[in-house]
Amino acid sequence: MRICLTGGAGYIGSHILVGLLEDGHDVLVVDNFANSSPTCLQHIRQLTGKSFEFLEEDICNQPAISAAFSTFRPDIVIHCAGLKAVGESQKQPLRYYRTNVEGSINLLEAMDQAGCQRIIFSSSATVYGTPRYLPYDEAHPVAPANVYGRTKAMIEDIITDWVATDPGRSAALLRYFNPVGAHESGEIGEDPKGIPNNLVPYIADVATGMRAELSVFGNDYETRDGTGVRDYIHITDLADGHIAAMAYLGDHQGVEVFNLGTGEGSSVLEVVAAFRRASNQPVPYEIKPRRDGDIAEFFANPAKANDRLGWQATRTLDAMCADVWRWRSKYPRGFDV
Ligand code: NAD
Ligand code: UDP
């Protein structure tokens, strides 16, 4: 198939790209490196021995995206490009709405012009907001509590309305839980710029000695050890979920929402323990106050994706940590050493 992958140089997109190339697809990657590095794409070329097309462009540049689509003529778009930092989204809402929402509208317009009728969208469990019940299933109310989550919910609505106007169209809205881990080769992985916001990259910085200790944000939650609980999913399982969604869209019309998670929650201290086991390094930490806006715990009910996509996350937390450690041992400072 001919696939346009936006955000293909980023953390999630790069792992999807490897899967697509291994399956022999023709891929056009669109990325402006707002939060990634060209070196990632070099690693992927070396790792897979495959080539792909690349357009360095902002998805907000509608004429450029339309021109690229009219030449490449994708059968499907996998749309991962976007801004994703919750705290930043609260401070720069218009930038987030422009990149995420306007960028997505541009893509849909370019798809229309090129006759492309299928899209897979990177959504997030953040759209659910404060849990009314757990595990979250896809019927849980959508009530995002921050700007980032609202951009995701808006794009879901826009794609749903777009699909509704033509019976030939189809879309999979994939709500990711907490992707962690790296490719098992250690050649690609998460490479956040600056101080990591997320738990696992921060722990990895501590284990490599780049940072002195982890701050554990609260140990007085109503969870089994008092620390926050999340549904961590291996990045390769997440990437495989996109391949499964692509196959699903091949013979289904309309829009479907799928949770991509494991269904299991792990606490901050359980992740620290797993990382210590994987790396054989100390991971010192200090208990600090709760982080503003944090939810005590959430995890997925992935039954719909298991049943309808024939997909299941199989990799353990230990495997996630071992793969992060391999990536960070090879490339302690990420792609741009
Ligand atoms: P990432 O920042 O590593 O990747 C996003 C990619 O999009 C980057 O390569 C970046 O350069 C590119 N990009 C950003 N703005 C762009 C623009 N205007 N034009 C072209 N390219 C642009 O993030 P990620 O973790 O790989 O996330 C991918 C998608 O998945 C995002 O849409 C994110 O919101 C969503 N998501 C991520 C998580 C997570 O925890 N990582 C969870 C749920 C959903
Ligand atoms: N966390 C932490 N220290 C950190 C980063 C995160 O204790 O430096 C906790 C956070 O409070 C939450 C869990 O780890 O309970 C996962 O946080 P992350 O930011 O990775 O994911 P999100 O909260 O966005 O689901």
Side-chain angles (χ1 to χ4, degrees):
M1 282 227 280
R2 300 181 64 75
I3 300 158
C4 173
L5 173 64
T6 73
Y11 173 45
I12 295 169
S14 60
H15 289 81
I16 298 172
L17 179 57
V18 169
L20 296 176
L21 295 173
E22 282 172 346
D23 285 353
H25 295 291
D26 294 319
V27 187
L28 165 67
V29 171
V30 179
D31 201 303
N32 67 352
F33 299 125
N35 193 38
S36 53
S37 157
T39 313
C40 173
L41 299 179
Q42 285 169 23
H43 283 216
I44 292 174
R45 286 188 193 97
Q46 276 162 13
L47 175 65
T48 62
K50 301 274 176 67
S51 60
F52 52 88
E53 295 187 37
F54 176 68
L55 175 68
E56 181 174 348
E57 191 51 83
D58 189 328
I59 53 168
C60 291
N61 184 345
Q62 216 285 333
I65 302 296
S66 280
F69 276 29
S70 68
T71 311
F72 183 76
R73 299 245 151 223
D75 300 308
I76 185 166
V77 172
I78 303 180
H79 178 27
C80 298
L83 302 175
K84 63 167 184 178
V86 171
E88 189 181 66
S89 77
Q90 297 292 109
K91 294 192 184 107
Q92 303 176 14
L94 301 184
R95 182 168 162 242
Y96 270 68
Y97 286 115
R98 188 177 303 279
T99 300
N100 291 4
V101 179
E102 185 187 319
S104 300
I105 293 172
N106 285 345
L107 279 181
L108 294 170
E109 285 175 345
M111 288 169 66
D112 278 349
Q113 286 164 20
C116 176
Q117 297 200 298
R118 290 181 209 162
I119 186 165
I120 296 176
F121 173 58
S122 296
S123 190
S124 169
T126 310
V127 300
Y128 294 121
T130 307
R132 311 240 180 123
Y133 57 85
L134 285 173
Y136 291 128
D137 57 24
E138 291 83 353
H140 185 286
V142 167
N146 53 60
V147 170
Y148 166 69
R150 283 192 283 278
T151 69
K152 291 291 174 188
M154 281 180 195
I155 299 162
E156 287 193 358
D157 285 345
I158 290 166
I159 292 174
T160 302
D161 289 341
W162 175 79
V163 169
T165 57
D166 186 327
R169 289 179 180 158
S170 57
L173 310 175
L174 304 182
R175 294 179 180 158
Y176 308 157
F177 281 69
N178 288 57
V180 299
H183 190 266
E184 60 178 4
S185 63
E187 287 301 313
I188 56 169
E190 190 169 13
D191 182 20
K193 294 195 193 318
I195 301 171
N197 290 314
N198 296 113
L199 179 64
V200 171
Y202 203 105
I203 291 177
D205 275 6
V206 174
T208 53
M210 285 173 60
R211 295 183 202 282
E213 64 176 17
L214 172 73
S215 298
V216 173
F217 298 138
N219 68 347
D220 56 354
Y221 286 108
E222 293 280 308
T223 59
R224 52 183 172 267
D225 62 19
T227 65
V229 167
R230 297 289 183 273
D231 184 340
Y232 297 96
I233 174 171
H234 194 293
I235 186 71
T236 304
D237 282 329
L238 190 81
D240 288 348
H242 294 71
I243 311 283
M246 246 172 45
Y248 178 88
L249 292 186
D251 48 17
H252 291 83
Q253 256 72 56
V255 182
E256 287 294 343
V257 180
F258 295 103
N259 284 340
L260 295 188
T262 67
E264 301 282 329
S266 302
S267 74
V268 174
L269 296 183
E270 287 164 349
V271 178
V272 169
F275 210 92
R276 283 177 175 160
R277 280 195 298 277
S279 64
N280 214 13
Q281 299 295 316
V283 178
Y285 66 82
E286 196 174 334
I287 306 295
K288 294 278 175 59
R290 292 179 177 194
R291 184 171 64 178
D292 221 21
D294 257 358
I295 291 170
E297 76 176 320
F298 62 85
F299 45 97
N301 177 344
K304 184 177 173 190
N306 299 164
D307 296 346
R308 307 273 283 275
L309 301 181
W311 164 91
Q312 189 160 17
T314 56
R315 292 165 179 85
T316 61
L317 182 61
D318 283 334
M320 299 176 212
C321 294
D323 289 339
V324 172
W325 185 240
R326 190 172 305 110
W327 149 245
R328 292 299 301 268
S329 301
K330 276 190 177 179
Y331 302 100
R333 289 174 193 284
F335 289 112
D336 292 318
V337 191

